[in-house]
Amino acid sequence: MVQLFNMSHDYETGFDAALAALRSGGLVAVPTETVYGLGANATDDNAVEKIFQIKGRPGFNPLIAHVSGLQMAERYGVFDALSRSLAAAFWPGPLTLVVELKPHTNIASAVCAGLPTIALRQPRGTMAELASHLGAPIAAPSANTSGRLSPTRANHVLDDLGDGVDVVLDGGSCMIGVESTIIKVHEGNATLLREGGIAAEDIEAFLGIPLLQGTDKPEVEAPGMLLAHYAPKLPIRLNAKSTKPDEALLAFGTTTSAGPKVRNLSVTGNIDEAARNLFAMLKELDATGATSIAVHPIPETGLGAAINDRLKRAAQSSENGS
Ligand code: AMP
Ligand code: MG
């Protein structure tokens, strides 16, 4: 039976239950500023294996290890001046750093999926505090079936994964709403592997130089990027200027469309608000019985890049029927 705690009423009881579950090899669903994570003790092989099983996640797709801070991160990853300065500037926060994995650590081997690198992040709030009390990183992908929409509310987790989780902490809606930005630091270079909750332009402004883009070896450098992702059940039609009969609409900015099959990411055109609403509204439209979901054009600026990345993958996944 899943134990559910409301963090605004039962913070301490919930925290203690989650910590006990992590210590005994269980799975916990915990809100972060990005989305709800499905966490396990990253040094416990059996517990990490359960994450892959319950999500149906392929074993070649490595997990982000969530740490209490840079000190814990440096027990597992090799940090240089560049990765340290990024961590100092953006942690705690929605930035994941992929760095060289130290030899002979106690990290469960499935966390890095056999790669010579490890992905590390200090999130804001409860997840980092749990890692601190556990004395070990928490391996945590999003708390959803692999390939489906990410959860930004506790009920999304319960609906999707239900009894497979030991403890769910309900912290309300996630503040940012899209997953972390992933940067790989290697030989003094910073490469953007995934757009996410910190806009690439903010990281570039901090560094004073452009980020290198992507990778020509995604199967080695960022395996999860190749997978179908964020798929609602309905087909998605991007950059739609109008809706067809029986089509649902995910709007952005002012619109005259209204009704039960319309949601607006942000009436005022606020891109941060749009990111917060993205996954929840896609789920709601998915349940309307429409034939497909039309999506207004979304600007690429700020978190718009991450939103458009998720929407493109969602559209592709529905085209592929996955
Ligand atoms: P997700 O948990 O779905 O947000 O995905 C995390 C993504 O981070 C993975 O799909 C990889 O692309 C990337 N990642 C995680 N761990 C590593 C690693 N050790 N080396 C390179 N990329 C990683
Ligand atoms: Mg995910």
PDB file of all heavy atoms in Angstrom, residues 35 55 57 61 141-151 179 194 229-230, ligand 2:
ATOM      1  N   VAL A  35       9.840  18.491 -11.689  1.00  0.00           N
ATOM      2  CA  VAL A  35       8.688  17.577 -11.743  1.00  0.00           C
ATOM      3  C   VAL A  35       8.799  16.648 -10.527  1.00  0.00           C
ATOM      4  O   VAL A  35       9.762  16.734  -9.772  1.00  0.00           O
ATOM      5  CB  VAL A  35       8.669  16.751 -13.061  1.00  0.00           C
ATOM      6  CG1 VAL A  35       8.629  17.660 -14.278  1.00  0.00           C
ATOM      7  CG2 VAL A  35       9.847  15.794 -13.159  1.00  0.00           C
ATOM      8  N   LYS A  55       8.980   1.760 -13.927  1.00  0.00           N
ATOM      9  CA  LYS A  55       8.789   2.714 -15.018  1.00  0.00           C
ATOM     10  C   LYS A  55       8.778   2.054 -16.389  1.00  0.00           C
ATOM     11  O   LYS A  55       8.362   2.649 -17.374  1.00  0.00           O
ATOM     12  CB  LYS A  55       9.938   3.750 -15.024  1.00  0.00           C
ATOM     13  CG  LYS A  55       9.758   4.891 -14.051  1.00  0.00           C
ATOM     14  CD  LYS A  55      10.909   5.876 -14.164  1.00  0.00           C
ATOM     15  CE  LYS A  55      11.019   6.579 -15.499  1.00  0.00           C
ATOM     16  NZ  LYS A  55      10.177   7.766 -15.676  1.00  0.00           N
ATOM     17  N   ARG A  57      11.593   1.418 -17.784  1.00  0.00           N
ATOM     18  CA  ARG A  57      12.658   2.231 -18.399  1.00  0.00           C
ATOM     19  C   ARG A  57      13.760   1.328 -18.907  1.00  0.00           C
ATOM     20  O   ARG A  57      14.227   0.435 -18.192  1.00  0.00           O
ATOM     21  CB  ARG A  57      13.211   3.185 -17.332  1.00  0.00           C
ATOM     22  CG  ARG A  57      14.248   4.200 -17.838  1.00  0.00           C
ATOM     23  CD  ARG A  57      14.564   5.161 -16.702  1.00  0.00           C
ATOM     24  NE  ARG A  57      15.650   6.068 -16.943  1.00  0.00           N
ATOM     25  CZ  ARG A  57      15.507   7.379 -17.160  1.00  0.00           C
ATOM     26  NH1 ARG A  57      14.304   7.906 -17.228  1.00  0.00           N
ATOM     27  NH2 ARG A  57      16.547   8.157 -17.312  1.00  0.00           N
ATOM     28  N   ASN A  61      19.289   3.666 -20.313  1.00  0.00           N
ATOM     29  CA  ASN A  61      18.994   5.069 -20.042  1.00  0.00           C
ATOM     30  C   ASN A  61      19.372   5.409 -18.598  1.00  0.00           C
ATOM     31  O   ASN A  61      18.664   5.044 -17.672  1.00  0.00           O
ATOM     32  CB  ASN A  61      17.505   5.340 -20.292  1.00  0.00           C
ATOM     33  CG  ASN A  61      17.181   6.828 -20.313  1.00  0.00           C
ATOM     34  OD1 ASN A  61      18.082   7.663 -20.243  1.00  0.00           O
ATOM     35  ND2 ASN A  61      15.907   7.145 -20.402  1.00  0.00           N
ATOM     36  N   PRO A 141      14.540   9.475 -11.676  1.00  0.00           N
ATOM     37  CA  PRO A 141      13.960   9.990 -12.919  1.00  0.00           C
ATOM     38  C   PRO A 141      12.560  10.524 -12.597  1.00  0.00           C
ATOM     39  O   PRO A 141      12.131  10.481 -11.438  1.00  0.00           O
ATOM     40  CB  PRO A 141      13.865   8.736 -13.788  1.00  0.00           C
ATOM     41  CG  PRO A 141      13.643   7.631 -12.802  1.00  0.00           C
ATOM     42  CD  PRO A 141      14.286   8.042 -11.504  1.00  0.00           C
ATOM     43  N   SER A 142      11.851  11.033 -13.586  1.00  0.00           N
ATOM     44  CA  SER A 142      10.488  11.502 -13.341  1.00  0.00           C
ATOM     45  C   SER A 142       9.599  10.313 -12.963  1.00  0.00           C
ATOM     46  O   SER A 142       9.801   9.193 -13.442  1.00  0.00           O
ATOM     47  CB  SER A 142       9.956  12.213 -14.582  1.00  0.00           C
ATOM     48  OG  SER A 142      10.157  11.420 -15.726  1.00  0.00           O
ATOM     49  N   ALA A 143       8.593  10.588 -12.101  1.00  0.00           N
ATOM     50  CA  ALA A 143       7.763   9.515 -11.530  1.00  0.00           C
ATOM     51  C   ALA A 143       6.585   9.177 -12.438  1.00  0.00           C
ATOM     52  O   ALA A 143       5.422   9.364 -12.080  1.00  0.00           O
ATOM     53  CB  ALA A 143       7.288   9.921 -10.143  1.00  0.00           C
ATOM     54  N   ASN A 144       6.903   8.694 -13.639  1.00  0.00           N
ATOM     55  CA  ASN A 144       5.879   8.317 -14.624  1.00  0.00           C
ATOM     56  C   ASN A 144       6.338   7.078 -15.372  1.00  0.00           C
ATOM     57  O   ASN A 144       7.538   6.779 -15.390  1.00  0.00           O
ATOM     58  CB  ASN A 144       5.660   9.451 -15.633  1.00  0.00           C
ATOM     59  CG  ASN A 144       6.950   9.859 -16.315  1.00  0.00           C
ATOM     60  OD1 ASN A 144       7.744  10.607 -15.739  1.00  0.00           O
ATOM     61  ND2 ASN A 144       7.183   9.356 -17.514  1.00  0.00           N
ATOM     62  N   THR A 145       5.379   6.390 -16.000  1.00  0.00           N
ATOM     63  CA  THR A 145       5.735   5.298 -16.894  1.00  0.00           C
ATOM     64  C   THR A 145       6.632   5.851 -17.995  1.00  0.00           C
ATOM     65  O   THR A 145       6.382   6.940 -18.513  1.00  0.00           O
ATOM     66  CB  THR A 145       4.457   4.712 -17.535  1.00  0.00           C
ATOM     67  OG1 THR A 145       3.558   4.385 -16.491  1.00  0.00           O
ATOM     68  CG2 THR A 145       4.763   3.483 -18.358  1.00  0.00           C
ATOM     69  N   SER A 146       7.674   5.115 -18.332  1.00  0.00           N
ATOM     70  CA  SER A 146       8.639   5.564 -19.330  1.00  0.00           C
ATOM     71  C   SER A 146       7.932   5.969 -20.626  1.00  0.00           C
ATOM     72  O   SER A 146       7.066   5.251 -21.118  1.00  0.00           O
ATOM     73  CB  SER A 146       9.623   4.425 -19.602  1.00  0.00           C
ATOM     74  OG  SER A 146      10.756   4.923 -20.251  1.00  0.00           O
ATOM     75  N   GLY A 147       8.283   7.149 -21.145  1.00  0.00           N
ATOM     76  CA  GLY A 147       7.704   7.602 -22.411  1.00  0.00           C
ATOM     77  C   GLY A 147       6.469   8.466 -22.255  1.00  0.00           C
ATOM     78  O   GLY A 147       6.072   9.157 -23.184  1.00  0.00           O
ATOM     79  N   ARG A 148       5.842   8.435 -21.073  1.00  0.00           N
ATOM     80  CA  ARG A 148       4.602   9.194 -20.884  1.00  0.00           C
ATOM     81  C   ARG A 148       4.883  10.599 -20.349  1.00  0.00           C
ATOM     82  O   ARG A 148       6.026  10.960 -20.082  1.00  0.00           O
ATOM     83  CB  ARG A 148       3.683   8.438 -19.920  1.00  0.00           C
ATOM     84  CG  ARG A 148       3.097   7.187 -20.548  1.00  0.00           C
ATOM     85  CD  ARG A 148       1.936   7.559 -21.459  1.00  0.00           C
ATOM     86  NE  ARG A 148       1.595   6.476 -22.379  1.00  0.00           N
ATOM     87  CZ  ARG A 148       0.978   6.656 -23.541  1.00  0.00           C
ATOM     88  NH1 ARG A 148       0.675   7.871 -23.964  1.00  0.00           N
ATOM     89  NH2 ARG A 148       0.681   5.643 -24.313  1.00  0.00           N
ATOM     90  N   LEU A 149       3.808  11.372 -20.144  1.00  0.00           N
ATOM     91  CA  LEU A 149       3.958  12.746 -19.652  1.00  0.00           C
ATOM     92  C   LEU A 149       4.511  12.758 -18.228  1.00  0.00           C
ATOM     93  O   LEU A 149       4.158  11.912 -17.409  1.00  0.00           O
ATOM     94  CB  LEU A 149       2.593  13.440 -19.668  1.00  0.00           C
ATOM     95  CG  LEU A 149       1.989  13.671 -21.051  1.00  0.00           C
ATOM     96  CD1 LEU A 149       0.517  14.065 -20.943  1.00  0.00           C
ATOM     97  CD2 LEU A 149       2.767  14.752 -21.795  1.00  0.00           C
ATOM     98  N   SER A 150       5.359  13.725 -17.937  1.00  0.00           N
ATOM     99  CA  SER A 150       5.946  13.836 -16.597  1.00  0.00           C
ATOM    100  C   SER A 150       4.914  14.378 -15.607  1.00  0.00           C
ATOM    101  O   SER A 150       4.059  15.175 -15.980  1.00  0.00           O
ATOM    102  CB  SER A 150       7.144  14.776 -16.629  1.00  0.00           C
ATOM    103  OG  SER A 150       8.105  14.303 -17.541  1.00  0.00           O
ATOM    104  N   PRO A 151       5.011  13.948 -14.340  1.00  0.00           N
ATOM    105  CA  PRO A 151       4.047  14.385 -13.323  1.00  0.00           C
ATOM    106  C   PRO A 151       4.461  15.694 -12.657  1.00  0.00           C
ATOM    107  O   PRO A 151       5.600  15.847 -12.226  1.00  0.00           O
ATOM    108  CB  PRO A 151       4.087  13.243 -12.295  1.00  0.00           C
ATOM    109  CG  PRO A 151       5.463  12.663 -12.434  1.00  0.00           C
ATOM    110  CD  PRO A 151       5.972  12.961 -13.814  1.00  0.00           C
ATOM    111  N   GLU A 179      11.669  19.445 -16.830  1.00  0.00           N
ATOM    112  CA  GLU A 179      12.826  18.804 -16.220  1.00  0.00           C
ATOM    113  C   GLU A 179      14.066  19.702 -16.268  1.00  0.00           C
ATOM    114  O   GLU A 179      14.084  20.729 -16.942  1.00  0.00           O
ATOM    115  CB  GLU A 179      13.129  17.472 -16.937  1.00  0.00           C
ATOM    116  CG  GLU A 179      12.047  16.410 -16.801  1.00  0.00           C
ATOM    117  CD  GLU A 179      10.891  16.586 -17.762  1.00  0.00           C
ATOM    118  OE1 GLU A 179      10.832  17.624 -18.454  1.00  0.00           O
ATOM    119  OE2 GLU A 179      10.042  15.684 -17.831  1.00  0.00           O
ATOM    120  N   ARG A 194      20.540  18.857 -22.885  1.00  0.00           N
ATOM    121  CA  ARG A 194      19.071  18.931 -22.899  1.00  0.00           C
ATOM    122  C   ARG A 194      18.640  20.301 -22.406  1.00  0.00           C
ATOM    123  O   ARG A 194      19.131  20.779 -21.401  1.00  0.00           O
ATOM    124  CB  ARG A 194      18.474  17.847 -21.979  1.00  0.00           C
ATOM    125  CG  ARG A 194      16.957  17.923 -21.857  1.00  0.00           C
ATOM    126  CD  ARG A 194      16.352  16.810 -21.025  1.00  0.00           C
ATOM    127  NE  ARG A 194      16.512  17.023 -19.600  1.00  0.00           N
ATOM    128  CZ  ARG A 194      16.159  16.147 -18.661  1.00  0.00           C
ATOM    129  NH1 ARG A 194      15.639  14.969 -19.025  1.00  0.00           N
ATOM    130  NH2 ARG A 194      16.326  16.411 -17.391  1.00  0.00           N
ATOM    131  N   HIS A 229       9.261  10.284 -26.018  1.00  0.00           N
ATOM    132  CA  HIS A 229       9.077  10.875 -24.701  1.00  0.00           C
ATOM    133  C   HIS A 229       7.815  11.701 -24.641  1.00  0.00           C
ATOM    134  O   HIS A 229       7.352  12.196 -25.641  1.00  0.00           O
ATOM    135  CB  HIS A 229      10.243  11.836 -24.446  1.00  0.00           C
ATOM    136  CG  HIS A 229      11.185  11.363 -23.403  1.00  0.00           C
ATOM    137  ND1 HIS A 229      12.386  10.800 -23.701  1.00  0.00           N
ATOM    138  CD2 HIS A 229      11.106  11.363 -22.045  1.00  0.00           C
ATOM    139  CE1 HIS A 229      13.018  10.499 -22.590  1.00  0.00           C
ATOM    140  NE2 HIS A 229      12.262  10.823 -21.567  1.00  0.00           N
ATOM    141  N   TYR A 230       7.304  11.900 -23.444  1.00  0.00           N
ATOM    142  CA  TYR A 230       6.253  12.879 -23.178  1.00  0.00           C
ATOM    143  C   TYR A 230       5.011  12.656 -24.020  1.00  0.00           C
ATOM    144  O   TYR A 230       4.375  13.593 -24.475  1.00  0.00           O
ATOM    145  CB  TYR A 230       6.763  14.309 -23.426  1.00  0.00           C
ATOM    146  CG  TYR A 230       8.121  14.564 -22.833  1.00  0.00           C
ATOM    147  CD1 TYR A 230       9.243  14.765 -23.642  1.00  0.00           C
ATOM    148  CD2 TYR A 230       8.297  14.576 -21.452  1.00  0.00           C
ATOM    149  CE1 TYR A 230      10.486  14.981 -23.089  1.00  0.00           C
ATOM    150  CE2 TYR A 230       9.546  14.781 -20.901  1.00  0.00           C
ATOM    151  CZ  TYR A 230      10.630  14.988 -21.722  1.00  0.00           C
ATOM    152  OH  TYR A 230      11.871  15.190 -21.183  1.00  0.00           O
TER     153      TYR A 230
HETATM  154 MG    MG B   2      11.414  11.518 -17.465  1.00  0.00          MG
END
